[in-house]
Amino acid sequence: MKAPLVEYVKSIRLRYAFLTTLALLLIFDVAVRALNVQNKPNLTLRNEQRSDAYNDYFFRQMRLTDRPVIAFMGASIVQGFVNTRPENAMPMLIQEMLDEQGIANRCFNMALIGNNLGDHLALSSESIRNGADLVVIPLHFKLFSGRGTLNRMIMHKDNIFYLRGRKDFRKLRRKVFKITDDQWSDIKIRKNLELIWAFYRQRNLLSLWATGRTGPFPNALFMSLGRKIRFLQPLVKEPHDPKKWNTDNHWKKKSKLYHESNRSTYEDINLDFDNIHFQTLDMICAMGREKKAKLLFYLIPLNRSANEQFHYFDWEKHALFKQMTQEITEKYGYESMDLTDAVDNRHFTDGDHLNMRGHEEFAQALLPGVQKILAAKP
């Protein structure tokens, strides 16, 4: 009788341990939510790390706001990575300009370094599902190549999660975006865990709440303490200073090797409607029309002076690119703005990235298109 009794006691302990753990996790989850870390409007400026950890935060904020929501897609050019502060990137400047005109709005910078058309499809779809009134999507000549898309990447794999409701999802995941069953299983578990458990979802937000900085908590804590503790201050170095890039013709200071590397990203642009990038652009337009969504497309600003000196690409090829992308967008009833020459060439840091002055001109050029669509929306 003794052995069964011992086993019974152990099972009781195990049961209570399990229930206690669940209770503690529940308390922890409630505590994280009570901190209200999800209500950090400034985070929509887009952090300066190469991370998409905040996308679900953005989507929740879209649902919470009662102002017209504008979601800006894009890669490093729109994000403003390195070259400008988050608050000086184009999407936030447009929000300020609309505010000054008395037009209620809230802009979200969904751009991230390396984002491509597959990311735009997924993030646009999820933004619309969460109440975005307008989605602004760049057409980047370089990203219609292979080398210009980070080793032929059409999307960050985790973003496939936002397309899970599509009828053609299985085919899209396997055939178009090349995400295996094993990869999808891993993504599905992680993303669902984020949706359920506040701590897992908001672990980076907790770092921001505790240290005032984004990024991994140990680094953020060290940087935060380093600013406050005198003997640590010499050890704290900012990764970059956008002011250094906010000078005229900074692109001329880049090495010849840098420009040759940039030129190589344009070498294999394939202007064929069967190209995966054109197919994805067509899917974006079709998704927008199906959901009756407002989409605004635009060709990004380019540095003609740098292209003249380093011969990145042939302008006739770019003109064909413009014609082909317009043919797709207009087929679905969407406008496409040509901002190729919208920014003074002095305000580039290379062939296409912009400094803070460049972002100001970028915002001013894109603003009329945004205003027009907002004014037409009931």
Side-chain angles (χ1 to χ4, degrees):
M1 294 292 292
K2 191 174 181 179
L5 181 61
V6 170
E7 292 300 321
Y8 178 73
V9 171
K10 285 182 178 179
S11 67
I12 290 292
R13 286 179 177 175
L14 185 62
R15 196 177 307 158
Y16 278 114
F18 178 71
L19 292 174
T20 302
T21 301
L22 284 181
L24 290 174
L25 288 175
L26 179 61
I27 292 169
F28 197 33
D29 192 69
V30 171
V32 169
R33 294 173 190 271
L35 286 172
N36 202 27
V37 292
Q38 75 272 20
N39 190 22
K40 289 276 183 183
N42 288 340
L43 196 61
T44 57
L45 299 176
R46 182 46 113 173
N47 72 90
E48 298 184 55
Q49 305 297 322
R50 303 185 186 200
S51 170
D52 60 355
Y54 304 93
N55 283 343
D56 289 309
Y57 163 83
F58 295 153
F59 296 135
R60 291 196 307 281
Q61 290 296 303
M62 289 179 191
R63 293 196 300 271
L64 291 172
T65 185
D66 57 357
R67 289 174 281 166
V69 168
I70 310 170
F72 289 84
M73 304 297 120
S76 54
I77 294 169
V78 177
Q79 184 192 13
F81 181 76
V82 175
N83 299 304
T84 183
R85 296 188 186 90
E87 64 270 20
N88 295 115
M90 176 272 290
M92 295 302 108
L93 294 177
I94 284 188
Q95 177 170 297
E96 290 180 10
M97 292 173 181
L98 291 173
D99 284 340
E100 289 172 359
Q101 296 175 13
I103 301 174
N105 76 102
R106 186 167 179 190
C107 293
F108 289 81
N109 191 348
M110 303 299 299
L112 182 69
I113 184 171
N115 270 1
N116 204 331
L117 288 160
D119 299 291
H120 300 345
L121 171 64
L123 297 175
S124 296
S125 177
E126 190 70 3
S127 296
I128 293 164
R129 193 176 74 83
N130 285 280
D133 299 278
L134 170 61
V135 179
V136 185
I137 302 170
L139 299 173
H140 195 332
F141 188 41
K142 185 193 295 184
L143 296 187
F144 280 71
S145 73
R147 294 182 187 177
T149 55
L150 300 182
N151 298 319
R152 308 184 190 280
M153 183 186 74
I154 188 65
M155 79 180 310
H156 289 88
K157 295 187 184 301
D158 275 15
N159 284 336
I160 195 69
F161 185 76
Y162 302 121
L163 296 175
R164 63 195 183 282
R166 290 176 62 110
K167 294 178 181 177
D168 60 348
F169 175 72
R170 189 180 180 87
K171 178 182 177 183
L172 202 64
R173 171 176 67 80
R174 288 179 165 182
K175 304 295 185 183
V176 179
F177 298 125
K178 311 292 184 184
I179 295 172
T180 66
D181 291 346
D182 288 342
Q183 289 172 329
W184 169 237
S185 295
D186 179 55
I187 292 167
K188 187 165 53 175
I189 290 170
R190 285 187 288 106
K191 298 299 285 185
N192 280 315
L193 182 58
E194 288 181 2
L195 293 175
I196 295 167
W197 191 23
F199 173 74
Y200 192 89
R201 181 177 67 235
Q202 298 177 357
R203 60 199 184 284
N204 294 91
L205 290 170
L206 285 167
S207 175
L208 180 69
W209 175 80
T211 68
R213 307 180 68 86
T214 55
F217 183 76
N219 294 345
L221 182 62
F222 175 77
M223 296 289 282
S224 179
L225 292 176
R227 287 180 169 278
K228 298 173 183 177
I229 301 174
R230 183 172 298 177
F231 71 86
L232 287 176
Q233 288 175 2
L235 301 176
V236 177
K237 294 182 179 179
E238 294 292 344
H240 56 267
D241 181 6
K243 288 182 180 179
K244 294 179 181 178
W245 283 267
N246 202 33
T247 57
D248 287 354
N249 296 313
H250 186 78
W251 60 272
K252 292 183 178 180
K253 300 175 185 177
K254 297 289 179 71
S255 68
K256 184 178 179 181
L257 180 63
Y258 178 91
H259 288 287
E260 287 176 352
S261 175
N262 201 6
R263 181 173 64 235
S264 70
T265 61
Y266 291 92
E267 288 177 356
D268 63 345
I269 288 178
N270 177 15
L271 297 183
D272 186 328
F273 284 123
D274 290 332
N275 182 334
I276 182 60
H277 304 293
F278 282 103
Q279 291 177 9
T280 308
L281 175 59
D282 192 272
M283 282 192 284
I284 292 171
C285 294
M287 176 274 300
R289 187 166 71 177
E290 179 187 350
K291 297 187 175 184
K292 297 181 173 59
K294 302 289 185 181
L295 305 182
L296 173 63
F297 295 90
Y298 66 92
L299 271 66
I300 66 160
L302 292 172
N303 187 345
R304 284 186 181 269
S305 297
N307 191 56
E308 181 180 346
Q309 184 170 339
F310 296 102
H311 309 292
Y312 294 141
F313 57 83
D314 186 343
W315 282 107
E316 290 184 3
K317 200 169 186 178
H318 184 269
L320 179 58
F321 166 75
K322 174 184 174 181
Q323 177 185 329
M324 293 175 72
T325 53
Q326 280 186 335
E327 185 175 330
I328 293 174
T329 57
E330 289 176 358
K331 179 176 70 174
Y332 291 93
Y334 290 116
E335 291 188 25
S336 176
M337 299 178 68
D338 185 358
L339 302 188
T340 305
D341 296 303
V343 176
D344 191 311
N345 290 172
R346 295 174 299 170
H347 301 152
F348 284 82
T349 60
D350 54 24
D352 47 20
H353 290 84
L354 306 166
N355 63 17
M356 288 189 279
R357 293 173 186 166
H359 271 267
E360 290 174 8
E361 294 183 6
F362 189 10
Q364 289 167 353
L366 189 56
L367 182 64
V370 173
Q371 288 174 313
K372 180 180 177 181
I373 293 178
L374 288 181
K377 183 173 176 60

